[in-house]
Amino acid sequence: QKEVEQDPGPLSVPEGAIVSLNCTYSNSAFQYFMWYRQYSRKGPELLMYTYSSGNKEDGRFTAQVDKSSKYISLFIRDSQPSDSATYLCAMRNNAGGTSYGKLTFGQGTILTVHP
Amino acid sequence: NAGVTQTPKFRVLKTGQSMTLLCAQDMNHEYMYWYRQDPGMGLRLIHYSVGEGTTAKGEVPDGYNVSRLKKQNFLLGLESAAPSQTSVYFCASGRGIGETQYFGPGTRLLVL
């Protein structure tokens, strides 16, 4: 079983829709949660960064973490064609040892927002 | 300020050939990373470096070697390429462990 599971999609929505992207994880030591956006044939870029449980909002994007359920979400409001990309969740723990600080990525969800 | 750059952008190799992928960053970051990205597998860490002259193994290090002779450069070597190494390779850098990682544009490698 992978440490981080993410539905690869693809997900296709009309412009203006609310998009919900999700990841589940099994390692309870994860404390830092990130969402990266990757446009086609480009490198990933950091979109949102949250620590522990709770919500974080940045413009049209909201990241949500539920540590009790080991579940994180990214919501995109008023989605635009320019949001079409692959969205990768990533996590890391704050424990010692060889896994300290390393990122574990989900498989990525391919999102298409059509006009 | 170019950020993280990678060369080459694309390469085709025959099984058994060797090659070196170059990553360069101009942000004075201490930490550098090499990942591979495969369909359905996400990004997996190959090797990383916490500073000039240091390297460490990641999740999938077999078949790869790395060197960090200069702070701004991180080289990934394939001594004897195999078809299983067909992938997209990303380099990333960051100020420290746990800090934001900035990714390069990737190198697409096809091993025949």
Side-chain angles (χ1 to χ4, degrees):
Chain A
Q1 183 188 358
K2 293 177 183 173
E3 273 191 303
V4 179
E5 295 279 0
Q6 183 177 6
D7 186 342
L11 186 61
S12 181
V13 301
E15 183 174 354
I18 296 175
V19 176
S20 172
L21 304 167
N22 312 294
C23 288
T24 58
Y25 62 96
S26 58
N27 187 346
S28 57
F30 288 142
Q31 294 190 31
Y32 298 85
F33 304 91
M34 288 137 274
W35 286 95
Y36 279 81
R37 179 175 59 196
Q38 185 178 19
Y39 290 116
S40 181
R41 296 185 175 267
K42 301 288 186 183
E45 57 179 345
L46 184 66
L47 191 60
M48 299 284 284
Y49 184 109
T50 54
Y51 170 70
S52 197
S53 286
N55 293 357
K56 185 175 182 178
E57 191 173 316
D58 184 2
R60 296 184 294 110
F61 299 88
T62 300
Q64 201 170 72
V65 175
D66 182 349
K67 289 192 71 180
S68 62
S69 302
K70 297 190 179 67
Y71 189 88
I72 70 169
S73 300
L74 177 70
F75 297 97
I76 307 174
R77 291 185 299 280
D78 187 25
S79 56
Q80 302 295 310
S82 58
D83 295 327
S84 298
T86 297
Y87 290 80
L88 300 138
C89 63
M91 310 178 186
R92 71 171 180 91
N93 61 34
N94 203 32
T98 58
S99 63
Y100 178 80
K102 294 180 191 177
L103 294 180
T104 302
F105 285 86
Q107 301 94 310
T109 300
I110 300 170
L111 171 67
T112 301
V113 181
H114 51 86
Chain B
N1 195 347
V4 180
T5 58
Q6 292 182 235
T7 53
K9 288 185 172 53
F10 178 70
R11 185 76 182 268
V12 179
L13 287 180
K14 294 181 180 178
T15 296
Q17 287 185 318
S18 63
M19 79 163 294
T20 300
L21 282 68
L22 172 64
C23 176
Q25 52 95 5
D26 61 3
M27 296 176 281
N28 201 34
H29 286 164
E30 290 292 336
Y31 288 66
M32 297 187 75
Y33 311 83
W34 275 108
Y35 292 90
R36 58 178 290 173
Q37 186 174 37
D38 303 291
M41 301 296 291
L43 285 156
R44 293 181 292 169
L45 184 66
I46 304 171
H47 285 282
Y48 66 100
S49 168
V50 301
E52 182 179 317
T54 74
T55 62
K57 293 181 180 179
E59 183 184 353
V60 288
D62 293 342
Y64 305 96
N65 57 75
V66 287
S67 65
R68 183 101 181 266
L69 298 180
K70 292 182 179 181
K71 185 177 183 178
Q72 63 268 33
N73 295 338
F74 195 27
L75 279 65
L76 178 71
L78 286 73
E79 288 187 350
S80 179
S84 61
Q85 294 177 304
T86 293
S87 188
V88 182
Y89 292 86
F90 288 100
C91 175
S93 72
R95 287 182 298 184
I97 210 156
E99 296 283 339
T100 299
Q101 293 184 21
Y102 297 86
F103 284 81
T107 294
R108 294 178 177 274
L109 177 65
L110 175 62
V111 183
L112 302 175

